Amino acid sequence: MKVEIEKDLQNLKRLVGNSDDVTFKTFNTSMGKSAVAYIDGFVDKQSLYFAVLKVLYDTPLSVPVYDKLCQLPIPESVNMFEDLNEALSKVLSGNIVLLIDGAEGYFCMSLKKTSMRAISEPPTESVIRGPREGFIEDYKTNITLLRRRIKNSNLIVSETVVGKQSNTSVAVCYIKGIADEKIVEEVKKRISKIKIDGVPDSYYIEQYLSEQKYSLFNQVGISEKPDVVSAKLLEGRVAVIVDGSPSVLTVPFLLFESVQDSYDYYSNDWRASLIRIFRIIGMVLTIFLPAVYVAMETYHSHLLPLKFLISLLGATSGIPFPPQIEMLVVLLLFEILNQASIRMPRFLGISLSIVGAIVLGDTAVKAGLISSPAVLIIALSSIGIFCVPQHLNSVSTLRVLFVCVASVSGLYGVIIGAIITIGYLVSINCYGTPFTAPFAPIVKPDLGDGFLKAENFNQTTRPFSIPNMNRRRK
């Protein structure tokens, strides 16, 4: 099918709905009447003129068009399409489509000039020691950051497009010969089955990659640091990069990864082990401390030491609410303050989180609406919640649920609830990997990177908890 400039331009304009940001330019060259179609703002117009149009003006008719275009100094290779709809999709992706009257197809090339955020340390994963680069919203840049750390031809990047309306680029990355081919194919299969209008963020893909859709716990790893993702790729995991999102997804994902941090691998083993224990203590306090406080004050006050009980009674006397309602009210106040500080401008948010908490807490205690022990308990619980940011939502929800259970059935309910939660965690299986490995079931070779971390040079094998094709690391 030969290109007809007038007819094809009319069809393109009709397909884009005469959108003002889609630019069509017609001109005459030695090859005949020609036209270019592109989105204004995506294209480097200076390069378009010097690299493409000027060369076409000077090209004799005897030179094949495609061969000449392939010799142009442009960033990406030139492709030719016979279908007008394919050419339109390339225009909407930020590419240039060249139409030459009488040619055998439409020529597509990339001269993108987009504004993007500079590579910087991610705000959600700041480090004391280690690489400070973070992923950005451009998926090509994110793939390059991984390539800089894994300079190996076995690093495979498989790209696809998701979203009927958004046409978002999604890249599946893995290391051939290490990653389990069954997991790679399963990830690709799930992504290919996604039928939605748009993918604004990687969270939309995360939902489809999770084994249990309505699970309270994250079953997909998330990171904004290239060094973390590259280390997981070297262990045999699969990474998913979504254009427009700085968060890269990894599978399979283990619960204990939430306790691990990149700084653990850039510090001494004893220091990393101590920090991991502190993180676990912080997570346990976050979930159970408010519930245990309510249960002890309501049903089991006889278990408290006498001096502590007298101090507690003195602090809570005159409070108009029962312990259950008081704890829920304080939880609500802290959650409101947290949400307000996140959504307000940065400097105002800092002031609100500090001054608001002090003023409101102190005023409420002096007014006799809440007790000082309740404020202290929730403050400790709220600090500990950030020890495991991967499960921030899960831990926050569990904290409220356990307070409700403790209000009804005391410590017995808290213990039964803890057993049910542990049983539920043990039952989760993520891509053939037990969610609670290497502790349930016990995988002895992986315990060296558990609660107590061994030195890096002693970790000679890849994790046995994760399916991979090459166990030997050294």
Side-chain angles (χ1 to χ4, degrees), residues 5-16:
I5 289 289
E6 297 296 337
K7 180 180 177 181
D8 289 337
L9 285 179
Q10 289 298 326
N11 289 333
L12 282 174
K13 291 178 181 179
R14 177 178 53 82
L15 290 173
V16 299

Side-chain angles (χ1 to χ4, degrees), residues 161-428:
V161 175
V162 180
K164 183 179 179 181
Q165 304 295 337
S166 65
N167 290 316
T168 304
S169 298
V170 178
V172 178
C173 307
Y174 62 96
I175 299 180
K176 188 177 180 180
I178 297 180
D180 191 327
E181 293 292 340
K182 293 181 179 179
I183 296 179
V184 175
E185 292 303 320
E186 180 65 22
V187 170
K188 291 181 180 179
K189 180 181 177 182
R190 294 190 183 189
I191 293 176
S192 66
K193 290 183 176 180
I194 299 176
K195 306 297 180 184
I196 55 178
D197 281 349
V199 183
D201 185 72
S202 59
Y203 177 73
Y204 284 69
I205 304 295
E206 178 187 346
Q207 292 177 301
Y208 289 90
L209 294 180
S210 301
E211 292 282 353
Q212 299 182 8
K213 307 300 181 185
Y214 304 103
S215 174
L216 188 61
F217 296 88
N218 294 340
Q219 298 170 47
V220 177
I222 307 170
S223 180
E224 293 187 33
K225 288 178 62 62
D227 59 313
V228 174
V229 175
S230 59
K232 291 186 177 184
L233 287 174
L234 291 170
E235 289 180 346
R237 291 179 171 86
V238 179
V240 179
I241 303 176
V242 180
D243 192 21
S245 174
S247 301
V248 174
L249 311 176
T250 56
V251 291
F253 177 69
L254 305 179
L255 177 65
F256 193 73
E257 287 184 58
S258 305
V259 181
Q260 298 172 333
D261 187 76
S262 60
Y263 177 68
D264 297 350
Y265 301 92
Y266 309 136
S267 59
N268 294 329
D269 55 342
W270 61 268
R271 173 64 177 169
S273 302
L274 192 62
I275 291 176
R276 288 183 180 181
I277 293 173
F278 288 156
R279 293 188 192 117
I280 295 170
I281 293 174
M283 182 174 64
V284 172
L285 289 177
T286 297
I287 298 174
F288 294 106
L289 188 58
V292 171
Y293 172 79
V294 170
M296 297 290 282
E297 189 177 357
T298 307
Y299 299 103
H300 311 285
S301 56
H302 58 282
L303 298 178
L304 296 173
L306 182 59
K307 291 184 178 180
F308 180 74
L309 180 60
I310 294 173
S311 299
L312 184 62
L313 291 174
T316 57
S317 60
I319 302 300
F321 304 112
Q324 303 94 320
I325 302 299
E326 178 192 15
M327 187 59 64
L328 290 174
V329 168
V330 178
L331 272 172
L332 177 63
L333 289 175
F334 268 80
E335 190 63 35
I336 291 174
L337 281 172
N338 181 40
Q339 294 300 317
S341 63
I342 292 173
R343 284 162 174 77
M344 289 187 70
R346 181 180 302 175
F347 301 106
L348 292 177
I350 295 174
S351 302
L352 176 68
S353 60
I354 297 175
V355 178
I358 294 175
V359 172
L360 286 177
D362 185 61
T363 304
V365 170
K366 288 182 178 179
L369 297 177
I370 57 177
S371 63
S372 53
V375 176
L376 176 62
I377 292 295
I378 295 301
L380 289 173
S381 177
S382 299
I383 293 172
I385 202 171
F386 294 102
C387 291
V388 283
Q390 283 267 24
H391 291 290
L392 181 64
N393 297 328
S394 310
V395 172
S396 299
T397 305
L398 283 174
R399 179 172 61 171
V400 176
L401 290 176
F402 273 103
V403 168
C404 295
V405 170
S407 303
V408 176
S409 53
L411 284 178
Y412 301 106
V414 173
I415 294 172
I416 294 173
I419 294 173
I420 293 174
T421 303
I422 294 172
Y424 171 70
L425 290 172
V426 172
S427 68
I428 298 176

